[in-house]
Amino acid sequence: MKIINAKNYEELSKQAADIILTQIKINPFSVLGLATGSTPLGTYKELIKSYNEKLVYFKNIKTVNLDEYVGLSPDNPQSYRYFMNHNLFDFLDIKKENTFVPNGCTKNIESEAENYDNIIKNLGGIDLQLLGIGLDGHIGFNEPSNCFFKNTHTVNLTPSTIKANSRFFKNEEEVPKQAVTMGIGAIMQAKKVLLLANGKQKEDILNKALFGNITPKVPASILQLHNNVTVIFCE
Ligand code: PGA
């Protein structure tokens, strides 16, 4: 595991974008696993900048996102599909049909979950998976639990996650209580993992995840068993 202590958020974003750009240079047909949240926003801005400077093209890139809220349609500004379109995809030459985000607004969420695993499988798995980390140690929306969930599944969000994410909503009540998330299996099968953690408030959980016991109570701790993880942290 490689751990980089970045000077500040700008450096973290630049270094993360560099790793993604290198991946695209090595393989312009890469499958990128992408994340939402505040942390990757700077990285996405850097990617857009590089695209505008004609340093990179995304026309053959495919993406799979980690998760989506249950009950939010893709045109809901709080949905993760909306987030990805408005913070990244709309500014690149990526083909929208090559970008995948779980559908949280379907009657049959179980078959949607199965379908999502098939999509990842049919793409040949993930070359580089970008991750944030929740204050409770979640990756994607794999919340602390008694076991690691291998496949894409529906999850009840923890009070900590609901509270943390309420900053994007009018109030806590409005935060969906469930999400559909890629499982630990697809994340662990990604060839490379890039975990970003921004801010002093993430330091404690990051230490637990990287140096503590490997336990589903701290889902990110499973990454200790992955053989190609880069972590970028800044206070
Ligand atoms: P954040 O979320 O980037 O908004 O801190 C990270 C996460 O919950 O995975």
Side-chain angles (χ1 to χ4, degrees):
M1 185 176 293
K2 187 170 170 192
I3 302 173
I4 300 169
N5 221 328
K7 261 200 327 259
N8 51 39
Y9 180 66
E10 201 187 334
E11 278 306 309
L12 173 146
S13 303
K14 281 194 175 138
Q15 296 202 39
D18 274 353
I19 290 171
I20 297 171
L21 293 172
T22 303
Q23 173 63 38
I24 297 174
K25 272 190 193 126
I26 294 169
N27 178 9
F29 293 83
S30 291
V31 177
L32 303 178
L34 297 181
T36 50
S38 318
T39 312
L41 279 173
T43 307
Y44 292 160
K45 286 209 171 85
E46 290 294 328
L47 293 179
I48 294 166
K49 190 163 159 256
S50 294
Y51 169 71
N52 286 336
E53 288 167 3
K54 302 194 189 330
L55 299 173
V56 63
Y57 295 97
F58 292 79
K59 60 177 189 285
N60 295 314
I61 293 294
K62 299 190 174 75
T63 67
V64 278
N65 260 76
L66 285 164
D67 44 22
E68 179 60 282
Y69 288 117
V70 167
L72 298 193
S73 66
D75 55 0
N76 185 314
Q78 307 295 353
S79 77
Y80 286 168
R81 161 54 77 180
Y82 190 98
F83 176 102
M84 290 309 298
N85 286 351
H86 288 259
N87 289 298
L88 186 65
F89 301 147
D90 284 351
F91 303 95
L92 305 176
D93 61 342
I94 197 160
K95 296 184 188 108
K96 280 275 168 62
E97 65 269 28
N98 287 342
T99 67
F100 300 92
V101 179
N103 180 2
C105 212
T106 163
K107 285 209 180 82
N108 193 343
I109 205 88
E110 297 309 318
S111 78
E112 170 60 26
E114 204 181 314
N115 181 38
Y116 204 64
D117 283 330
N118 284 330
I119 288 171
I120 298 169
K121 197 166 139 208
N122 292 336
L123 290 171
I126 297 162
D127 292 303
L128 173 64
Q129 176 65 56
L130 179 64
L131 295 174
I133 182 169
L135 288 170
D136 62 2
H138 70 214
I139 44 177
F141 272 138
N142 290 278
E143 296 282 40
S145 168
N146 291 325
C147 63
F148 290 110
F149 286 87
K150 181 169 178 244
N151 296 325
T152 300
H153 59 284
T154 312
V155 61
N156 294 323
L157 300 177
T158 61
S160 150
T161 299
I162 291 170
K163 187 160 182 271
N165 289 11
S166 66
R167 68 191 193 277
F168 301 111
F169 292 80
K170 264 196 226 118
N171 54 53
E172 226 171 283
E173 294 309 300
E174 277 198 11
V175 184
K177 306 296 177 279
Q178 283 194 314
V180 53
T181 182
M182 192 189 283
I184 292 294
I187 295 172
M188 287 301 282
Q189 282 160 20
K191 294 190 188 88
K192 296 174 199 157
V193 171
L194 173 57
L195 177 92
L196 307 181
N198 171 36
K200 191 91 186 132
Q201 75 280 10
K202 293 280 172 81
E203 197 173 2
D204 187 36
I205 191 65
L206 193 61
N207 274 326
K208 282 196 181 117
L210 303 186
F211 308 114
N213 290 338
I214 299 171
T215 163
K217 306 268 182 229
V218 182
S221 64
I222 192 88
L223 296 173
Q224 293 180 40
L225 300 177
H226 194 287
N227 66 7
N228 193 334
V229 180
T230 303
V231 179
I232 313 181
F233 170 73
C234 76
E235 276 190 14

